[in-house]
Amino acid sequence: MSPEPNPARHDRESVARHALALLDEVGLADLSMRRIAARLDVQPSALYWHFASKQELLADLADRITGSIPRGSTDVLATARGIRDALFAYRDGAELVLSTYALQLGSSHAQAALTEALRSQGAAAAEDRGAAILHFVLGHATLVQQRMHADSHGALGGDGEIDVTAGLDRVFDLGVVAIAGDLSAPASPPRVRV
């Protein structure tokens, strides 16, 4: 039996919106139900009116992160770049999406977008290739975000003049194109480090 809806001042949308903002501030490791509840000025148990578990909340956040990925593109590399950029839009976005994807929680919007683009290009085994490209994108984006996070905390050593993401766009494009097969794709524009 499910609980009656609570007419609290926060709804599912509000909880998720605040959780995403908190994710950007504290990162995935410190994103707890207690911390989200404190941000909303409610008891942690109040969050369970909107999400049955933290895993359900994280799956919703992953869907929100990947929900901005446009569907219907015929350009596999552009689709992969769009997924990567959506993951980069939030601190630890790649890790959050990777963890929910690994547990088969949330939607498969990102993989479906890749599969559609591959099918439109006539790629053989489009569904398997879409899954392989998504695995690559998630791993690559997680690596980049971890390097950037470590660099921002001085954990990589050196004098801070080294761009820890140098060359990774080229590596990303090579990986996607290699998995996709013989598909033509434009070169990736260079990224400016901020």
Side-chain angles (χ1 to χ4, degrees):
M1 186 164 136
S2 63
E4 292 295 315
N6 184 0
R9 59 185 170 159
H10 296 289
D11 59 6
R12 186 177 175 96
E13 176 69 25
S14 173
V15 171
R17 202 172 54 250
H18 281 85
L20 276 175
L22 197 55
L23 173 69
D24 260 348
E25 291 174 30
V26 301
L28 184 58
D30 291 326
L31 183 68
S32 66
M33 297 299 263
R34 184 174 305 283
R35 187 168 263 168
I36 296 165
R39 171 65 55 94
L40 296 168
D41 195 28
V42 298
Q43 292 296 316
S45 60
L47 299 179
Y48 295 100
W49 284 97
H50 308 294
F51 294 96
S53 65
K54 182 177 179 183
Q55 290 74 25
E56 183 181 315
L57 172 61
L58 293 178
D60 185 84
L61 298 182
D63 287 347
R64 288 169 188 271
I65 290 170
T66 60
S68 64
I69 300 163
R71 297 273 301 259
S73 173
T74 59
D75 186 335
V76 176
L77 186 54
T79 302
R81 288 176 188 157
I83 295 167
R84 178 194 59 186
D85 293 346
L87 300 174
F88 286 167
Y90 294 93
R91 177 177 173 182
D92 297 337
E95 184 181 353
L96 187 150
V97 173
L98 175 64
S99 66
T100 59
Y101 180 79
L103 298 174
Q104 298 179 327
L105 301 172
S107 70
S108 58
H109 179 72
Q111 185 173 336
L114 286 166
T115 300
E116 288 173 13
L118 286 159
R119 279 194 182 118
S120 72
Q121 294 291 316
E127 192 165 312
D128 289 340
R129 285 184 193 214
I133 292 172
L134 181 59
H135 295 175
F136 173 77
V137 171
L138 290 169
H140 189 274
T142 300
L143 179 140
V144 171
Q145 282 190 320
Q146 287 182 357
R147 280 188 184 172
M148 290 169 47
H149 183 68
D151 185 47
S152 72
H153 285 83
L156 293 181
D159 57 9
E161 297 296 319
I162 298 171
D163 181 356
V164 297
T165 61
L168 290 178
D169 285 334
R170 184 177 31 49
V171 170
F172 180 84
D173 289 357
L174 285 171
V176 171
V177 171
I179 297 168
D182 189 19
L183 303 173
S184 60
S188 179
R191 287 184 169 261
V192 177
R193 182 176 182 198
V194 256

